[in-house]
Amino acid sequence: MNRQVVSAIALAVAALSAGQVLAQDAAPKTREQVRAELLQAQRNGDIIVNAETGQTARDMFPDLYPQSASVAGKTRDQVKAELAEAIRTGDIVADGETGQKLNEQAPHRYAATAVAQGKTRAEVKAELAEAIRNGDLVANTETGTTYREMFPGRYPAASTLAQGKTREQVKAELAEARRTGDIVADGDSGKKLNELYPNRFRAN
């Protein structure tokens, strides 16, 4: 027991003396330098927010912080312009505890960011219809298998799919498929209408 206590005391003294030696080698920092380092660490997400795991704010909330703290090759003017833009749009972390940005805390103070225009409803519906026709929809979400892969005989081969059809051609093909029941009706089995209801559709 005495040996353990003496070892612990010796270890503590060694650690304290090593810390003092290292502190003497480093130049003392001013209060402003320490504050600047703290603010920089908060901006970059380098502050430890979970003492148990040692995770930094950047580790826990990677979307809220820039990918790299400093980008090599940028001029001072470029950095100042980026900072001015971030201040203008509120894209600066305001709350170090939650990682919220200014534009998230007070969205009414900042203009909404432009969202990239997606596809129209008609375009999405057309893509869905084509995916159904070609068997490109996922049939089994666990394996990612498509209907074409599960039932290759029911869909045209990928290499024979027509490219660049006009709207009229597509509408004519859809009308013909409806008339003949050549449309997948049961997503689970992949059966077409003319297979489920053979009496409703006449064979050509």
Side-chain angles (χ1 to χ4, degrees), residues 114-121 123:
V115 177
Q117 183 62 33
K119 296 180 180 183
T120 65
R121 180 177 175 86
E123 290 172 330

Side-chain angles (χ1 to χ4, degrees), residues 66-84:
Q67 291 300 320
S68 58
S70 61
V71 178
K74 289 190 179 183
T75 65
R76 181 176 174 85
D77 292 335
Q78 289 172 325
V79 173
K80 288 173 85 175
E82 286 179 6
L83 176 61

Side-chain angles (χ1 to χ4, degrees), residues 99-159:
Q100 274 192 318
K101 297 180 182 180
L102 286 173
N103 56 12
E104 293 171 340
Q105 283 187 339
H108 60 280
R109 292 185 182 174
Y110 302 96
T113 55
V115 177
Q117 183 62 33
K119 296 180 180 183
T120 65
R121 180 177 175 86
E123 290 172 330
V124 171
K125 287 175 83 174
E127 284 184 10
L128 176 61
E130 183 178 353
I132 291 171
R133 186 174 53 252
N134 297 332
D136 292 332
L137 292 181
V138 175
N140 186 336
T141 56
E142 292 178 4
T143 63
T145 306
T146 64
Y147 285 108
R148 176 196 309 278
E149 294 167 338
M150 288 179 73
F151 309 104
R154 294 187 179 153
Y155 299 99
S159 61

Side-chain angles (χ1 to χ4, degrees), residues 16-89:
L16 286 174
S17 62
Q20 289 175 350
V21 170
L22 290 174
Q24 289 174 354
D25 290 345
K29 293 182 181 179
T30 65
R31 183 180 181 107
E32 288 75 25
Q33 288 173 325
V34 172
R35 275 190 170 166
E37 287 180 5
L38 174 62
L39 289 174
Q40 182 68 26
Q42 286 175 336
R43 274 194 299 272
N44 295 337
D46 294 331
I47 300 286
I48 293 177
V49 293
N50 189 336
E52 292 179 16
T53 63
Q55 284 184 307
T56 63
R58 178 192 303 276
D59 295 335
M60 292 185 75
F61 311 104
D63 297 337
L64 300 177
Y65 297 95
Q67 291 300 320
S68 58
S70 61
V71 178
K74 289 190 179 183
T75 65
R76 181 176 174 85
D77 292 335
Q78 289 172 325
V79 173
K80 288 173 85 175
E82 286 179 6
L83 176 61
E85 178 66 14
I87 291 171
R88 187 183 67 74
T89 60

